[in-house]
mmCIF file of all heavy atoms in Angstrom:
data_model
loop_
_atom_site.group_PDB
_atom_site.id
_atom_site.type_symbol
_atom_site.label_atom_id
_atom_site.label_comp_id
_atom_site.label_asym_id
_atom_site.label_seq_id
_atom_site.Cartn_x
_atom_site.Cartn_y
_atom_site.Cartn_z
ATOM 1 N N ARG A 370 -21.900 26.655 -50.506
ATOM 2 C CA ARG A 370 -21.558 25.815 -51.657
ATOM 3 C C ARG A 370 -20.760 26.561 -52.709
ATOM 4 O O ARG A 370 -19.935 25.971 -53.387
ATOM 5 C CB ARG A 370 -22.830 25.236 -52.293
ATOM 6 C CG ARG A 370 -23.463 24.161 -51.422
ATOM 7 C CD ARG A 370 -24.605 23.493 -52.146
ATOM 8 N NE ARG A 370 -24.125 22.779 -53.328
ATOM 9 C CZ ARG A 370 -24.916 22.220 -54.230
ATOM 10 N NH1 ARG A 370 -26.210 22.287 -54.096
ATOM 11 N NH2 ARG A 370 -24.403 21.587 -55.266
ATOM 12 N N SER A 371 -21.028 27.848 -52.875
ATOM 13 C CA SER A 371 -20.256 28.601 -53.868
ATOM 14 C C SER A 371 -18.788 28.619 -53.484
ATOM 15 O O SER A 371 -17.902 28.465 -54.327
ATOM 16 C CB SER A 371 -20.738 30.057 -53.951
ATOM 17 O OG SER A 371 -22.111 30.113 -54.107
ATOM 18 N N PHE A 374 -17.297 25.222 -54.029
ATOM 19 C CA PHE A 374 -17.108 25.030 -55.472
ATOM 20 C C PHE A 374 -15.777 25.638 -55.907
ATOM 21 O O PHE A 374 -14.964 25.002 -56.569
ATOM 22 C CB PHE A 374 -18.269 25.677 -56.240
ATOM 23 C CG PHE A 374 -18.092 25.648 -57.722
ATOM 24 C CD1 PHE A 374 -18.452 24.539 -58.455
ATOM 25 C CD2 PHE A 374 -17.547 26.733 -58.396
ATOM 26 C CE1 PHE A 374 -18.276 24.496 -59.829
ATOM 27 C CE2 PHE A 374 -17.364 26.716 -59.765
ATOM 28 C CZ PHE A 374 -17.729 25.593 -60.482
ATOM 29 N N LEU A 390 -4.839 15.892 -67.103
ATOM 30 C CA LEU A 390 -6.226 15.439 -66.982
ATOM 31 C C LEU A 390 -6.328 14.109 -66.241
ATOM 32 O O LEU A 390 -7.221 13.910 -65.426
ATOM 33 C CB LEU A 390 -6.828 15.322 -68.392
ATOM 34 C CG LEU A 390 -8.347 15.185 -68.513
ATOM 35 C CD1 LEU A 390 -9.067 16.271 -67.751
ATOM 36 C CD2 LEU A 390 -8.761 15.226 -69.978
ATOM 37 N N MET A 393 -6.160 14.609 -62.559
ATOM 38 C CA MET A 393 -7.366 15.266 -62.068
ATOM 39 C C MET A 393 -8.533 14.285 -62.038
ATOM 40 O O MET A 393 -9.338 14.296 -61.114
ATOM 41 C CB MET A 393 -7.713 16.462 -62.922
ATOM 42 C CG MET A 393 -8.874 17.209 -62.330
ATOM 43 S SD MET A 393 -9.088 18.776 -63.096
ATOM 44 C CE MET A 393 -9.489 18.250 -64.721
ATOM 45 N N LEU A 394 -8.614 13.415 -63.039
ATOM 46 C CA LEU A 394 -9.735 12.475 -63.083
ATOM 47 C C LEU A 394 -9.659 11.452 -61.955
ATOM 48 O O LEU A 394 -10.685 11.019 -61.441
ATOM 49 C CB LEU A 394 -9.776 11.757 -64.438
ATOM 50 C CG LEU A 394 -10.182 12.631 -65.624
ATOM 51 C CD1 LEU A 394 -10.001 11.862 -66.925
ATOM 52 C CD2 LEU A 394 -11.612 13.113 -65.506
ATOM 53 N N GLY A 397 -9.118 14.113 -58.466
ATOM 54 C CA GLY A 397 -9.803 15.404 -58.390
ATOM 55 C C GLY A 397 -11.052 15.365 -57.521
ATOM 56 O O GLY A 397 -11.463 14.316 -57.040
ATOM 57 N N ARG A 398 -11.618 16.548 -57.326
ATOM 58 C CA ARG A 398 -12.756 16.681 -56.429
ATOM 59 C C ARG A 398 -13.948 17.158 -57.208
ATOM 60 O O ARG A 398 -13.873 18.125 -57.960
ATOM 61 C CB ARG A 398 -12.431 17.714 -55.355
ATOM 62 C CG ARG A 398 -11.022 17.485 -54.822
ATOM 63 C CD ARG A 398 -10.845 18.042 -53.480
ATOM 64 N NE ARG A 398 -11.834 17.465 -52.606
ATOM 65 C CZ ARG A 398 -11.762 17.535 -51.283
ATOM 66 N NH1 ARG A 398 -10.763 18.147 -50.708
ATOM 67 N NH2 ARG A 398 -12.693 17.009 -50.548
ATOM 68 N N ASN A 399 -15.067 16.510 -56.982
ATOM 69 C CA ASN A 399 -16.277 16.969 -57.633
ATOM 70 C C ASN A 399 -16.695 18.285 -57.007
ATOM 71 O O ASN A 399 -16.861 18.376 -55.801
ATOM 72 C CB ASN A 399 -17.363 15.918 -57.518
ATOM 73 C CG ASN A 399 -17.334 15.010 -58.720
ATOM 74 O OD1 ASN A 399 -17.036 15.458 -59.824
ATOM 75 N ND2 ASN A 399 -17.633 13.747 -58.529
ATOM 76 N N PRO A 400 -16.818 19.311 -57.834
ATOM 77 C CA PRO A 400 -17.003 20.642 -57.255
ATOM 78 C C PRO A 400 -18.418 20.918 -56.742
ATOM 79 O O PRO A 400 -18.602 21.879 -56.013
ATOM 80 C CB PRO A 400 -16.639 21.587 -58.404
ATOM 81 C CG PRO A 400 -16.836 20.797 -59.650
ATOM 82 C CD PRO A 400 -16.604 19.363 -59.293
ATOM 83 N N LEU A 401 -19.391 20.106 -57.107
ATOM 84 C CA LEU A 401 -20.770 20.464 -56.754
ATOM 85 C C LEU A 401 -21.253 19.749 -55.494
ATOM 86 O O LEU A 401 -20.766 18.702 -55.162
ATOM 87 C CB LEU A 401 -21.704 20.137 -57.912
ATOM 88 C CG LEU A 401 -21.342 20.804 -59.231
ATOM 89 C CD1 LEU A 401 -22.276 20.350 -60.314
ATOM 90 C CD2 LEU A 401 -21.433 22.310 -59.088
ATOM 91 N N MET B 367 -11.293 11.715 -77.852
ATOM 92 C CA MET B 367 -11.261 11.461 -76.412
ATOM 93 C C MET B 367 -12.155 10.267 -76.092
ATOM 94 O O MET B 367 -13.171 10.053 -76.738
ATOM 95 C CB MET B 367 -11.756 12.681 -75.644
ATOM 96 C CG MET B 367 -10.890 13.898 -75.834
ATOM 97 S SD MET B 367 -11.292 15.195 -74.636
ATOM 98 C CE MET B 367 -10.189 14.743 -73.296
ATOM 99 N N ARG B 370 -13.494 8.384 -69.256
ATOM 100 C CA ARG B 370 -13.734 9.417 -68.247
ATOM 101 C C ARG B 370 -13.266 10.789 -68.694
ATOM 102 O O ARG B 370 -13.863 11.800 -68.316
ATOM 103 C CB ARG B 370 -13.042 9.045 -66.926
ATOM 104 C CG ARG B 370 -13.731 7.889 -66.228
ATOM 105 C CD ARG B 370 -13.141 7.652 -64.865
ATOM 106 N NE ARG B 370 -13.373 8.790 -63.991
ATOM 107 C CZ ARG B 370 -12.826 8.922 -62.777
ATOM 108 N NH1 ARG B 370 -12.032 7.992 -62.319
ATOM 109 N NH2 ARG B 370 -13.084 9.980 -62.047
ATOM 110 N N SER B 371 -12.194 10.850 -69.473
ATOM 111 C CA SER B 371 -11.732 12.156 -69.958
ATOM 112 C C SER B 371 -12.811 12.806 -70.815
ATOM 113 O O SER B 371 -13.080 14.000 -70.710
ATOM 114 C CB SER B 371 -10.476 12.022 -70.812
ATOM 115 O OG SER B 371 -9.524 11.249 -70.166
ATOM 116 N N PHE B 374 -15.664 13.910 -68.642
ATOM 117 C CA PHE B 374 -15.263 15.128 -67.930
ATOM 118 C C PHE B 374 -15.490 16.363 -68.807
ATOM 119 O O PHE B 374 -16.116 17.332 -68.386
ATOM 120 C CB PHE B 374 -13.785 15.024 -67.537
ATOM 121 C CG PHE B 374 -13.234 16.268 -66.917
ATOM 122 C CD1 PHE B 374 -13.380 16.496 -65.555
ATOM 123 C CD2 PHE B 374 -12.586 17.222 -67.680
ATOM 124 C CE1 PHE B 374 -12.884 17.655 -64.971
ATOM 125 C CE2 PHE B 374 -12.089 18.376 -67.106
ATOM 126 C CZ PHE B 374 -12.241 18.588 -65.747
ATOM 127 N N LEU B 390 -23.452 31.145 -61.208
ATOM 128 C CA LEU B 390 -22.942 30.138 -60.288
ATOM 129 C C LEU B 390 -24.076 29.398 -59.571
ATOM 130 O O LEU B 390 -24.017 28.186 -59.378
ATOM 131 C CB LEU B 390 -22.009 30.818 -59.274
ATOM 132 C CG LEU B 390 -21.101 29.936 -58.419
ATOM 133 C CD1 LEU B 390 -20.287 28.983 -59.271
ATOM 134 C CD2 LEU B 390 -20.178 30.780 -57.558
ATOM 135 N N MET B 393 -25.517 26.756 -61.719
ATOM 136 C CA MET B 393 -24.573 25.655 -61.897
ATOM 137 C C MET B 393 -24.504 24.800 -60.642
ATOM 138 O O MET B 393 -24.414 23.580 -60.709
ATOM 139 C CB MET B 393 -23.192 26.175 -62.244
ATOM 140 C CG MET B 393 -22.281 25.038 -62.623
ATOM 141 S SD MET B 393 -20.763 25.593 -63.324
ATOM 142 C CE MET B 393 -20.157 26.533 -61.974
ATOM 143 N N LEU B 394 -24.556 25.447 -59.479
ATOM 144 C CA LEU B 394 -24.446 24.679 -58.235
ATOM 145 C C LEU B 394 -25.661 23.784 -58.018
ATOM 146 O O LEU B 394 -25.546 22.700 -57.452
ATOM 147 C CB LEU B 394 -24.270 25.620 -57.042
ATOM 148 C CG LEU B 394 -22.914 26.330 -56.965
ATOM 149 C CD1 LEU B 394 -22.928 27.367 -55.850
ATOM 150 C CD2 LEU B 394 -21.779 25.350 -56.747
ATOM 151 N N GLY B 397 -25.861 21.681 -61.900
ATOM 152 C CA GLY B 397 -24.649 21.296 -62.611
ATOM 153 C C GLY B 397 -24.294 19.832 -62.415
ATOM 154 O O GLY B 397 -24.923 19.117 -61.632
ATOM 155 N N ARG B 398 -23.279 19.404 -63.135
ATOM 156 C CA ARG B 398 -22.901 18.006 -63.135
ATOM 157 C C ARG B 398 -21.497 17.869 -62.589
ATOM 158 O O ARG B 398 -20.594 18.567 -63.016
ATOM 159 C CB ARG B 398 -22.923 17.484 -64.558
ATOM 160 C CG ARG B 398 -24.186 17.946 -65.271
ATOM 161 C CD ARG B 398 -24.511 17.080 -66.404
ATOM 162 N NE ARG B 398 -24.703 15.729 -65.901
ATOM 163 C CZ ARG B 398 -25.286 14.773 -66.604
ATOM 164 N NH1 ARG B 398 -25.711 15.030 -67.812
ATOM 165 N NH2 ARG B 398 -25.429 13.584 -66.113
ATOM 166 N N ASN B 399 -21.325 16.939 -61.692
ATOM 167 C CA ASN B 399 -19.993 16.682 -61.192
ATOM 168 C C ASN B 399 -19.176 16.037 -62.292
ATOM 169 O O ASN B 399 -19.571 15.017 -62.841
ATOM 170 C CB ASN B 399 -20.061 15.811 -59.947
ATOM 171 C CG ASN B 399 -20.108 16.680 -58.709
ATOM 172 O OD1 ASN B 399 -19.509 17.758 -58.688
ATOM 173 N ND2 ASN B 399 -20.808 16.252 -57.701
ATOM 174 N N PRO B 400 -18.051 16.682 -62.632
ATOM 175 C CA PRO B 400 -17.344 16.222 -63.821
ATOM 176 C C PRO B 400 -16.536 14.939 -63.631
ATOM 177 O O PRO B 400 -16.134 14.346 -64.624
ATOM 178 C CB PRO B 400 -16.419 17.389 -64.167
ATOM 179 C CG PRO B 400 -16.248 18.149 -62.912
ATOM 180 C CD PRO B 400 -17.498 17.932 -62.097
ATOM 181 N N LEU B 401 -16.288 14.528 -62.414
ATOM 182 C CA LEU B 401 -15.374 13.388 -62.226
ATOM 183 C C LEU B 401 -16.117 12.057 -62.044
ATOM 184 O O LEU B 401 -17.228 12.045 -61.606
ATOM 185 C CB LEU B 401 -14.482 13.644 -61.010
ATOM 186 C CG LEU B 401 -13.665 14.917 -61.090
ATOM 187 C CD1 LEU B 401 -12.898 15.107 -59.808
ATOM 188 C CD2 LEU B 401 -12.718 14.885 -62.243
#
Side-chain angles (χ1 to χ4, degrees):
Chain A
R370 288 187 64 187
S371 309
F374 174 84
L390 194 52
M393 186 168 64
L394 290 172
R398 316 203 57 165
N399 268 325
L401 303 177
Chain B
M367 297 193 89
R370 289 187 64 188
S371 310
F374 175 85
L390 194 53
M393 188 169 60
L394 289 173
R398 315 202 59 165
N399 268 327
L401 302 176

